[in-house]
């Protein structure tokens, strides 16, 4: 279903790209030195994985396409082709869609800007601004966020000064320095966004830990009040119910680890039906597999594990997938 949706987008983007080329054609004549520069800067910048909040990947290949704009429309096409060879592990359909999106956003911006009789500095500014707007319309329209748009647009705009200085410089060595300067800036931008994310993540972890400690204090008082007069099964049942209500999780599953038999025994639950819990109990799950796969040091924070959603990496036949029960 996902591939079918991608194929539809690819067909639509291809038709737009073909119409754009038919009505605004360009010649495939390249200067080798210019092509090498566009290749190097586009390839390097496109493979610097700048992310906002460690989730949304920003468009990092702007430095290459700014230079391609100066050299001519055929270089915008060449730069778009270079993005097909991004080193990330993405499938062929995604690579083709990215190529089409980049070609359309940058080349259509080039076409629109060149309708106006403006100086090159204003044209570059309009080119960058239009490219970002078109990118958001094509890719982010359903999940548009003004904060993410501004963060990415700032990077687009911040790439302009180096190109302006390149145009103003007379010395060939200085000119080439300014061409590659944006790669240094991109590296700085990468570390800034990484630092912001890590700082916010640390604050979130501290808030979660404080809330966790408060709940666990209440939880320990509950266990103490039941420990004298209630059975183990009753205490665990109340514990599952308490955790379900306090943490707001849809499902709570309490298990015991039998290290001698290397098995996990399901002992209590909340949020499941009794039939679902019986099926979960019937499964034989090795304790060592969950410990090795889930309880890792990089998920540990103090004495607590904040385990991310790793469901896609787990064996659906062994763990707790309700749609497979």
């Amino acid at each position: 279903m996902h591939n079918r949706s991608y194929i539809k987008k690819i067909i639509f983007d291809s038709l737009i790209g073909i119409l754009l080329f038919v009505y605004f054609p360009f010649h495939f004549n390249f200067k080798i030195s210019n092509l090498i520069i566009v290749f190097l800067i586009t390839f390097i910048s496109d493979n610097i994985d700048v992310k906002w909040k460690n989730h949304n990947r920003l468009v990092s290949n702007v430095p290459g396409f700014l230079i391609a704009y100066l050299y001519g429309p055929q270089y915008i096409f060449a730069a778009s082709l270079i993005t097909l060879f991004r080193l990330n592990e993405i499938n062929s359909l995604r690579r083709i869609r990215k190529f089409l999106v980049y070609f359309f956003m940058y080349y259509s911006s080039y076409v629109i800007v060149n309708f106006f009789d403006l100086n090159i500095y204003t044209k570059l500014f309009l080119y960058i601004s239009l490219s970002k707007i078109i990118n958001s319309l094509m890719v982010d329209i359903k999940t548009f966020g003004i904060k993410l748009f501004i963060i990415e647009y700032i990077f687009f705009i911040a790439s302009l000064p180096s190109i302006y200085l390149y145009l103003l410089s007379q010395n060939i060595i200085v000119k080439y320095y300014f061409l590659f300067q944006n790669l240094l800036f991109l590296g700085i931008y990468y570390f800034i966004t990484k630092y912001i994310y890590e700082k916010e993540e640390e604050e979130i972890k501290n808030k979660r830990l404080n809330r966790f400690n408060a709940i666990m204090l209440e939880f320990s008082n509950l266990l103490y009040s039941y420990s004298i007069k209630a059975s183990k099964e009753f205490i665990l049942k109340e514990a599952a119910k308490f955790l379900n209500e306090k943490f707001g999780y849809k499902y709570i599953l309490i298990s015991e680890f039998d290290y001698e038999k290397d098995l996990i025994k399901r002992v209590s639950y909340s949020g499941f039906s009794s039939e679902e819990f019986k099926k979960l109990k019937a499964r034989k799950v090795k304790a060592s597999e969950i410990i090795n796969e889930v309880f890792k040091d990089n998920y540990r924070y103090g004495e607590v594990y904040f385990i991310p959603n790793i469901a896609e990496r787990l064996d659906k036949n062994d763990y707790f997938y309700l749609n497979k029960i």
Side-chain angles (χ1 to χ4, degrees), residues 210-307:
N210 291 334
R211 181 169 176 263
F212 177 81
N213 289 335
I215 292 175
M216 291 313 294
L217 177 61
E218 187 179 348
F219 181 53
S220 63
N221 292 333
L222 175 70
L223 292 181
Y224 177 76
S225 65
Y226 282 132
S227 61
I228 301 174
K229 55 186 179 181
S231 65
K232 173 185 172 182
E233 288 74 19
F234 178 81
I235 293 173
L236 291 175
K237 185 67 178 177
E238 288 299 306
K241 183 180 177 182
F242 176 88
L243 295 172
N244 189 212
E245 293 174 352
K246 292 294 181 179
F247 283 106
Y249 295 126
K250 189 174 182 180
Y251 305 109
I252 296 291
L253 182 63
I254 298 178
S255 306
E256 288 182 345
F257 285 68
D258 188 333
Y259 293 100
E260 291 184 2
K261 297 180 180 179
D262 193 22
L263 289 173
I264 288 181
K265 180 183 178 184
R266 312 302 187 186
V267 293
S268 192
Y269 68 99
S270 182
F272 299 102
S273 67
S274 58
E275 291 77 16
E276 289 171 337
F277 182 64
K278 286 178 182 177
K279 291 180 181 179
L280 284 171
K281 285 185 70 174
R283 290 183 183 172
K284 302 297 181 183
V285 181
K286 289 185 177 182
S288 58
E289 288 185 5
I290 288 188
I291 292 171
N292 293 333
E293 181 68 33
V294 178
F295 294 98
K296 296 181 177 180
D297 288 340
N298 54 317
Y299 301 151
R300 187 171 178 174
Y301 190 76
E303 298 301 317
V304 180
Y305 287 90
F306 289 98
I307 301 168

Side-chain angles (χ1 to χ4, degrees), residues 129-148:
S129 301
L130 281 172
S131 296
K132 178 61 201 128
I133 292 169
I134 293 170
N135 176 262
S136 294
L137 290 173
M138 293 187 72
V139 180
D140 303 323
I141 189 65
K142 292 183 179 179
T143 58
F144 180 80
I146 188 64
K147 191 171 184 179
L148 178 60

Side-chain angles (χ1 to χ4, degrees), residues 19 57-58 63 72 82 134 150 152 154 198 225 230 240 243 312:
L19 288 173
R57 193 189 198 282
L58 304 186
I82 291 164
I134 293 170
I150 292 172
E152 195 162 29
I154 288 173
E198 289 178 349
S225 65
L243 295 172
E312 291 182 0

